[in-house]
Structures are given as structure tokens and as C-alpha cells.
Amino acid sequence: MYRYSEFDESFVRSRVAQFRGQVARRIDGSLTEDEFKPLRLMNGLYLQLHAYMLRVAIPYGTLDSAQMRQLAMIADRWDKGYGHFTTRQNIQFNWPKLADVPDMLDALADVGMHAIQTSGNTIRNVTADHFAGAAAGEVADPRPVAELIRQWSTDHPEFQFLPRKFKVAVTGHPDDRAVTAAHDIGLRLVERAGVPGATVLVGGGLGRTPMIGKVLADFVPLADLLPYLEAVVAVYNLLGRRDNKYKARIKITVHETGIEEIRAQVEAEFAARKPLFSGVDQEMLAAITAQFAPPVFEPEAEGDYETWRAADPVFRAFTDTNVTAHRAPGYAILTVSLKAHGATPGDCSSAQMRVLADLAERYAHDELRISHEQNVILPHLPKRHLKAVHDALLAAGLATANVGLVSDIIACPGMDYCALATARSIPVAQGIALRFEELRLEHEIGPLKIKISGCINACGHHHVGHIGILGLDRAGVESYQITLGGDGGPDAVIGERTGPGFAYDQIIPAIERILRAYLALREGRHETFLDAWRRLGMEPFKAALYDKEEARADAA
Amino acid sequence: MPPRPYTPKVLTANALLEGDVVWLAADGHWTRRMEDAALIEDEASAELHLLDAHARAHEVVGPYLAEAKRGPKGPEPTHFREAFRTRGPSNYPHGKQEGR
């Protein structure tokens, strides 16, 4: 785990003090809202549909138990007893009062956390593979690189007023759990001839113009990474459009300028900037990397795990679904689902946060992760503790065995909270989860990613859902478009629209028709929904979705 | 294209301190209940009220005119977004529906 240095601590404290003064001046009337708004956004404070919302960064999704407990305390003291984990590995508090926010930020600073650059046209919270440092098959731990980028980009004077927000994701595993191809810059850590480096993707993004990132550089040695990234952002800062916010993201710049020209400009900028770095970034990277040393793994970590699995079908089902292979013998990566059937995806009560903190501290080397899929992970859990952990999770309502299944849905806050949304996401996710729980089909259907956004900005990543759902306002009524075949993995692809949208009360039956069609058409349980879609294409699913409606229209 | 005819509206915003949704009442105070809002039925006074609300930035944030209709207890929303603002989110009994 990275620990704040004295410099980090004093920087964050001074920002909180500065913001405290700004809030006081807004309340006493000496700052107008026009003056205050950019200042509050620089500190992660939004005004949403019903209240303010504070977005807190969880860099690369990594937390320890003290930080998780502090989030619980903040939720209880200044909010409504829960927090919402997002696809950016942030946590959002939905009900803060303006005057309380400086105190909330001070409480975050007490545990080395902050809300800086969680909003605004700047480089946002750097995200990474949530299994970093733990997963079998990992090339390199992405967190030191992500932390280096966080330190470089925080309050970087050149990049505080970019054309638009800028998102960076890092993975060190071939499975790419960080959805790097859907980010402004995606970094895939690789090794060439013993030299650590990264493949650099640029210009990915979802939103109203979804694009898959293009390879800007097949290999950049880690020694050159920071000046190279600085060159990319500098080129974007100059070329990016400021006349139209909908065309301001780097994906549009890459599309309009061409990847070859962008590459040429980046190379020129890189050549000019590289000498300015003088190796200090590499010293920082080495120091950061040392802080991310893996825990000392227990030699006899397996214990009676297999005996418990054989004896207890509930425990076996839980571990079959929620455990991922760890690189250390006898260890598990445990994903704790925040998607209990009927619950709000990503929401975690303060009581649940404390349970997770206690479990991490007692059993799992004091580490937690937040995934972009809105779940919580114990990345280093000796299997001999899995039974005790499962028992504790059961008592806390956190033992849902649905990771990677129908009900493990990404859903943005939608119109239940978000001022930008055009339709609700949360009740749709809740309805789908409850329906498939009722049908008892979830495990039969197997691996499936459903992702729901309540507006075209695509915070719910619907474009890269195997089944994507986009909520829109059609003539004053909530309407939902479906896309199929999207994928956020290493060969990322944008889903295809099925056709006309569905009303709020029709979207869950529509998803059921798609999945019943899949069950009827698949070649066996081994063929996942995504594989079946790739083999069969759109037509059979479209027929399942719309035939009934067309027949009804014909009869009318 | 001829301008669209004016339709009744309420003036709404979020309270500065709490962020809570508020509406302008006939006596000029900000009310937490849409039923108590003033239904503004002529365009000229709607624009004047909006200008006035912008000048009261020490009380509210982001004032705007929202479509509404006359109901038995007072103004009612005509769009689902404004309906959500009168009660709060649909996943918890939070916001205005809390304590009702």
C-alpha cells in the first residue's frame, strides 16, 4: 500500500483549508455560484438532482481497513449511512450538506484520502485492475505506475484546464480487467526482452460517441513512460477542441486528426520533454514500487478449504462463483458482491463497510479493493480463512454468490440521483436481478455482463456490456435501448443496437426474452452468451425481442 | 417557425445549504413542497421571477422554470424528472419522501 508522504499530507491539508475558506465565502455571499462552482468541482463536490454529492477518489481502487472504516464514519456522520462505489473506483456520498463538506474532506485527509480531481476538465482518478498484485498470470502490478501517474497529474499546472475530463486506466494482466480500451489513455503493462514497459492505447471512450482506443505505441519502456504520457496529454491540450464540449474528448481529436499525425506530434513532444525529466520520475517509481511490495504470504494457507467445500454446498457455490485464482499457493482473491438481489448496485452501508474492514484486517493482510464493476475485493485471502469470512459475510448480507452472473450488473446512479440522467438505471438493475432470482436461471445462464446507463454519457459502460441498456427520455417517457455483443476485455468491442427501445415496464421482459433465446440457441453450457452472440449474430436475438411486438402490431 | 405558446411553469432550484429541491411560492419564499409553489401562468412574470431568483444566489443554486400543471392541491409536474424531484430517489425512502 502506498502511504502518504509528508508532502502529500501537507498538500491535501492545505487544499482542505483552502476549500473551507471558499465554502465559507460562498455561504456568506462573497463568492457567487459562478465563482464557486469551478472551485467546488475541483474538490469533487457536485450538485445533483436532490442534494449535493461528494465524489471521493480511491486511487486504483486500493484501500486498507482504516480507510474503509473512515468512509463508514463519514457515511454515518455526514450522510445517510451508506456510500456508492462507482465504475471509476470512486465512492460517492449522495446527501452531504454544503457546510459539512470541509469537515468530510478533513476526515478523509486523516486517512490519506481526498476528493481532488474527481471532477473537472483534468486528469481524473487513475483506475487499475482490481486484482492487481494478486492475480495468477499477471505480467506486472499496475499500481506503482498508477500511483506515479496520480502524483504526476495531481495539480499538474499544465493540465488543470484540459478541453475535457481525461481518464487513464492501467492493467498488468492479459485479461484486462481495467477496460483500458475505453479510456482516454489505456496502459497495458508488458515486458519485452526483459525490459518492463507499456502498450499505450489512446482515444478510447464511451459516451455519445463510443470508440475503442487505438494503439499509439506498441511498447514504451517504463523509463520513458511519464514523459511519453506528458507528451500525449500536451498534444491533446493543444489540439483538443474547445468550441464544442461534445467533441472535446481526445477520442474525437484522434479521430479527426488521425492516429499517424497524433503519433508524429507525440513523438516530437516526447523528444522535447524527455530531457526535462532527468530520471527523477524513475527514482519516484522505484520508491513507490517498494511500497507496493506484496505481503508475506503464509506457507500453509490452504487449511481445510477443500474439506469445507465438499461438506457445504452453499459455501461451495459461493467460492465457485466469487473466488478467483491467486498467484500464491493456498490463497484466494475473493470478490464480495455489492449486488444482492434487489439491492442498488455498488451501494454499501456503513455497517457493511465496517464488516469488510474487519475481515480485511483480521484475515486478508489489511487490503481491500474497489472494482470498476462496483464490488469489493479481498485480494489476499488465505483459503483457510474463507469459511470464517463467508460466515461473516452471510451475517452482513454480503454473501451473494453472483459475481459475473446476470445480477452482477453495473448501473450508474441514473435519474434517481444524477442531474444529467434522462432515465433511471437502478430500478431496472434491481428488477432484472429479482426476476432472474425468481426464475432460478442465473447459474444456468452463466457468465454474463449486463451494464446499464441512465443517459448517453454511458457512466454505466453499457456500450461494452454483453447486454447493454441505455435509458433515454422519449417524449417525456423513460425508454430503454438495448445493445448486444459489447465487451470490455482485451479485444474490446462496442455493442450493436438491437432496434427500437422499450418502455420502463417492458425492459425486464425484453431482457428475459433475449436470455431465453440464448438458452434455446446455445450449443451447451460451455457456450457463454457472448460466444453464442458471436456465433449467431444479431438476428435470432432480434427476432426473440421484437417478433411478439410485431405480431401484436399486426393484430391491432 | 412560430414561437411555441407559453405553458404554465413553476420556478425551481436547489437550496444553497442543503442542496434540497425548492420551489418559489407566491409570497416569494422558497418552499420544499411543490404543491405550495406558485404556478406562473404568464411568460413575462416567469422571466421576471427567474431574473429575481438568479439575484438570490445566496439562497439557491441553479434556478430554472419547469413545466407544471394545475392540480387539486397545487401545481403538479408534467415530466417524470420533475416528479422525481418532488419525492426523491426510487431505491430508498430518502429525500423529500423521507418522513412523509
Side-chain angles (χ1 to χ4, degrees), chain A residues 2 58-62 89 123-129 132 141-154 168-171 187 189 222 225-226 229 285 288-289 292:
Chain A
Y2 176 73
I58 303 172
Y60 32 90
T62 297
Q89 297 179 309
I123 298 173
R124 299 288 188 89
N125 184 38
V126 179
T127 56
D129 182 351
D141 186 338
R143 291 172 302 160
V145 169
E147 173 60 26
L148 181 71
I149 295 168
R150 187 190 72 82
Q151 293 193 20
W152 158 76
S153 62
T154 301
V168 181
V170 194
T171 184
L187 299 175
L189 302 184
L222 282 192
L225 188 63
L226 219 47
L229 294 183
L285 181 59
I288 293 166
T289 302
F292 284 101

Side-chain angles (χ1 to χ4, degrees), chain A residues 297-312:
Chain A
F297 295 121
E298 297 176 12
E300 303 293 334
E302 176 108 2
D304 294 328
Y305 172 68
E306 288 301 340
T307 309
W308 295 325
R309 269 177 57 82
D312 181 350

Side-chain angles (χ1 to χ4, degrees), chain A residues 31-143:
Chain A
L31 280 179
T32 67
E33 182 61 20
D34 283 348
E35 290 163 336
F36 179 63
K37 185 176 176 181
L39 303 175
R40 69 169 157 80
L41 290 176
M42 287 171 79
N43 290 283
L45 185 62
Y46 286 74
L47 184 60
Q48 294 284 67
L49 205 61
H50 312 291
Y52 287 99
M53 178 270 281
L54 181 66
R55 180 182 292 154
V56 176
I58 303 172
Y60 32 90
T62 297
L63 284 170
D64 64 17
S65 59
Q67 291 171 322
M68 188 66 116
R69 283 194 194 97
Q70 193 77 337
L71 295 178
M73 187 280 284
I74 288 169
D76 281 340
R77 184 163 177 189
W78 292 295
D79 209 89
K80 292 186 185 290
Y82 74 100
H84 175 74
F85 292 111
T86 77
T87 55
R88 296 285 308 151
Q89 297 179 309
N90 297 307
I91 186 168
Q92 298 184 171
F93 293 106
N94 285 322
W95 305 94
K97 305 271 190 294
L98 178 58
D100 291 337
V101 174
D103 290 342
M104 296 170 80
L105 294 176
D106 255 333
L108 289 166
D110 289 345
V111 291
M113 298 182 76
H114 61 77
I116 296 165
Q117 289 185 203
T118 59
S119 179
N121 293 335
T122 185
I123 298 173
R124 299 288 188 89
N125 184 38
V126 179
T127 56
D129 182 351
H130 41 264
F131 295 164
E138 185 175 76
V139 175
D141 186 338
R143 291 172 302 160

Side-chain angles (χ1 to χ4, degrees), chain B residues 7-20:
Chain B
T7 49
K9 293 177 176 59
V10 288
L11 182 57
T12 184
N14 290 76
L16 171 64
L17 295 179
E18 299 89 0
D20 192 14

